[in-house]
Amino acid sequence: MQNYTHHIPVKLCFGEGQIKVLGTEIKKIGTNVLLTYGGGSIKKTGLYDTVMGILKDAGCTVTELSGIDPNPRITSVEEGVKLCRENNIDVILAVGGGSTIDCSKAIAAGVYYDGDLWEMCSSFHGLLKSLPLVDVLTLSATGTEFDPFAVITNMDTNQKCGGMYAYPVVSICDPTYTCTVSAYQTAAGSADIMSHCFEDYIGREIGTEISEGLSETMLKTVMKYCPIAIKEPNNYEARANLMAASNIACAGIASYGKGGSGWPCHAMEHELSAFYDITHGVGLAVLTPRWMRYILAKDVSILPRLARFGRNVMGVTGDDDMKVAVEAIDKLEAYFKSTGIPMTLTELGIGEENFAKMAAQANTGKAMERCDISLTEADVVEIYRACL
Ligand code: NZQ
Ligand code: ZN
C-alpha cells in the first residue's frame, strides 16, 4: 500500500431537509450571490423558488446565470466570470447536477485568472485561487460535490478537458431533490458512479484491501438501487444510497494506497462527449465492458482482478478465473442494458469517422500509454470499434 495524504475541505450536509442550513452557510461567506443553474429543471421542481426565498430571507443580492448545458461549455464559464466581475460577486451558489457545479468551479477560479479562460480550462494545474462555492446537488453521478475537479467543453475545438479547480465550501445533498431525475439520467449517473469505482479498482495494485472493499460495496450498492430508483423514482432509500455513493466514489477515498490507473475509460469517454455531445455516463457504460474485454485479451496480468470482480461483485461462481471474468463482463454489459442505456455507439449515432482523432487526443501527453494497463492509440481505436 502506497503512502497517501488526503484532505477534503467540504462541509457535506446530507439528507432530507438539509436545505435549512443554506441561509446560515451563505451568510457566513457573503451576501452578493451568483446563482447558477442549468436548463430549467430547478424551476420545474420548485427548488428555484425555495432557494430564492432562502436567499431573500438571508438578505442576499442575487445575480443569475442560467442555461448551463450538460457537458458545460467554455462560453458559460466566460459569461459567469463576466457577471462575477461586473457585480462584485462574493459567493457562487450552484444548484443542479455535475455540469452546473463544474461550470461554477471554473467560473470561481476564472474570476482570478489573468489570461484566456480556455487556456485555464485546457491546461494542467493544481487547485486555483477561487471565489467560494456552495452547491445544492440535484443529480447523483459525478462526485463533483465532494471533489475539486471540473470538466469543461469547447465545442468549437471538440475538446473536453478535466482539471482541478476548487472544492465546494458547502455541499447540500438532499436525495429527495433527485426524485425528479429521469430514468435515463438515473441510469447514466449510476453508470458514472460505477465507472469512478472501476477506474482504480480494475488495476494491478494489490494489498489495498480497504480500497477494494469500498469499491466492491459501492458497485453492489449502485447495482442494487439504480433499478429501484428507476422503477420507484420517489424511493428515498434508493435515492439516498445512490447519492452517498456519488459523494464518495470520485473523492479518492476508494483509491487510498493506490498509484492511480490513469482513468482510461474517462479519457476515452471525454472524447466521445467532445465530438458528439453525448451523456457522460452513457458513454462510460458503452465503453467499460468493451475496455474490460480488450485489456483481458491484451494483458492477462489483469485476470485475477477481473475474476475477483466477477466473484465479489457480480456473484459469478466457479474455479476457472477466465470463465468467471468473461461471464462477469457479460453480466455487467447486460446489467447496463437492463437499465435502459443504449449500449452501442451506433445507437448513439456515432460512426468510426473520428476514432483516430479521438484516440490521438485521448493520448495527449501519452496519457493512455501511461495507464496501468497501457493502451496505444491503435488499442483505443479498437476499443471504440468494439463499441459500434
Ligand atoms: O440542466 P437542467 O435543466 O438542470 O437538467 C439536467 C440535465 O438535462 C437534468 N437534471 C439534473 N438534475 C435534475 C435534472 N432533471 C430533473 N430533476 C433533477 N433533479 O439532468 C441532465 C444532466 O445534468 P448534468 O448536470 O449534465 O449531469 P451530471 O451530473 O451527470 O454531470 C455531467 C458532467 O459532469 C462531468 C461530466 O463529464 C459531464 O460534463 N463530470 C464531472 C466530474 C467531476 N467534477 O468530478 C467527474 C465525472 O467523471 C464527470 O466527468
Ligand atoms: Zn465520471
Side-chain angles (χ1 to χ4, degrees):
M1 191 190 277
Q2 301 185 27
N3 293 4
Y4 56 90
T5 304
H6 203 202
H7 176 71
I8 306 181
V10 181
K11 185 166 182 177
L12 192 70
C13 305
F14 184 96
E16 185 166 10
Q18 286 285 17
I19 197 75
K20 66 175 187 283
V21 305
L22 179 62
T24 325
E25 293 296 341
I26 285 273
K27 266 200 290 190
K28 281 187 209 164
I29 305 170
T31 51
N32 214 355
V33 180
L34 178 72
L35 172 67
T36 57
Y37 54 97
S41 72
I42 68 162
K43 290 205 166 156
K44 280 192 211 132
T45 61
L47 184 54
Y48 173 85
D49 292 335
T50 305
V51 165
M52 286 303 265
I54 291 169
L55 293 176
K56 189 168 168 245
D57 291 347
C60 295
T61 307
V62 182
T63 303
E64 294 186 33
L65 173 68
S66 62
I68 296 171
D69 292 305
N71 298 326
R73 316 293 201 244
I74 183 62
T75 44
S76 291
V77 177
E78 288 163 351
E79 204 181 328
V81 167
K82 192 163 172 269
L83 286 173
C84 287
R85 288 180 179 156
E86 282 171 2
N87 296 283
N88 286 322
I89 295 297
D90 45 30
V91 53
I92 300 178
L93 173 60
V95 184
S99 295
T100 292
I101 299 173
D102 278 10
C103 184
S104 306
K105 286 180 182 176
I107 293 168
V111 171
Y112 292 105
Y113 193 79
D114 187 16
D116 178 62
L117 289 171
W118 181 242
E119 180 194 88
M120 173 185 80
C121 294
S122 58
S123 59
F124 292 102
H125 50 72
L127 294 172
L128 295 174
K129 181 178 177 187
S130 307
L131 280 176
L133 169 70
V134 173
D135 68 77
V136 180
L137 181 67
T138 65
L139 200 164
S140 302
T142 63
T144 187
E145 67 276 10
F146 206 40
D147 74 31
F149 308 112
V151 190
I152 304 298
T153 297
N154 186 334
M155 291 312 288
D156 293 338
T157 58
N158 291 125
Q159 283 173 288
K160 182 172 180 183
C161 299
M164 268 190 165
Y165 292 86
Y167 285 94
V169 179
V170 180
S171 284
I172 296 173
C173 298
D174 180 339
T176 64
Y177 295 154
T178 65
C179 292
T180 51
V181 174
S182 67
Y184 189 75
Q185 289 293 339
T186 300
S190 298
D192 189 20
I193 300 169
M194 290 176 69
S195 180
H196 298 159
C197 300
F198 282 133
E199 291 282 31
D200 282 328
Y201 175 76
I202 304 294
R204 278 183 295 220
E205 192 88 41
I206 52 168
T208 46
E209 273 306 310
I210 291 285
S211 297
E212 263 60 272
L214 281 170
S215 296
E216 289 166 358
T217 298
M218 285 193 286
L219 287 165
K220 282 190 284 189
T221 301
V222 173
M223 290 176 75
K224 173 180 173 181
Y225 284 112
C226 169
I228 296 175
I230 287 172
K231 222 161 127 197
E232 303 165 30
N234 294 323
N235 186 311
Y236 184 80
E237 186 178 315
R239 295 292 187 186
N241 275 280
L242 291 176
M243 192 170 252
S246 163
N247 295 164
I248 300 166
C250 202
I253 298 167
S255 307
Y256 283 167
K258 292 176 178 249
S261 72
W263 283 49
C265 287
H266 273 68
M268 290 187 282
E269 196 297 309
H270 284 167
E271 298 308 319
L272 289 174
S273 292
F275 277 78
Y276 299 99
D277 200 17
I278 66 166
T279 300
H280 174 61
V282 169
L284 290 169
V286 173
L287 283 164
T288 301
R290 279 64 182 237
W291 165 73
M292 286 178 174
R293 275 187 204 111
Y294 194 86
I295 59 171
L296 183 57
K298 180 180 159 119
D299 185 346
V300 81
S301 70
I302 202 63
L303 175 58
R305 182 54 51 86
L306 281 167
R308 176 182 172 147
F309 160 66
R311 295 192 178 97
N312 292 0
V313 179
M314 303 307 292
V316 182
T317 53
D319 296 332
D320 183 330
D321 275 6
M322 187 55 87
K323 276 194 186 148
V324 169
V326 168
E327 191 182 330
I329 299 169
D330 290 347
K331 275 182 95 173
L332 178 68
E333 186 174 339
Y335 160 78
F336 282 138
K337 200 167 182 177
S338 75
T339 64
I341 293 180
M343 282 300 286
T344 62
L345 293 183
T346 312
E347 285 166 86
L348 295 166
I350 299 174
E352 53 185 304
E353 58 282 355
N354 290 310
F355 285 174
K357 257 194 252 169
M358 287 156 53
Q361 202 159 273
N363 196 33
T364 304
K366 306 265 179 245
M368 302 308 297
E369 287 166 50
R370 286 191 284 108
C371 283
D372 192 19
I373 308 294
S374 176
L375 294 172
T376 64
E377 288 172 31
D379 291 331
V380 173
V381 168
E382 283 312 309
I383 293 170
Y384 285 138
R385 278 217 181 98
C387 297
L388 282 169

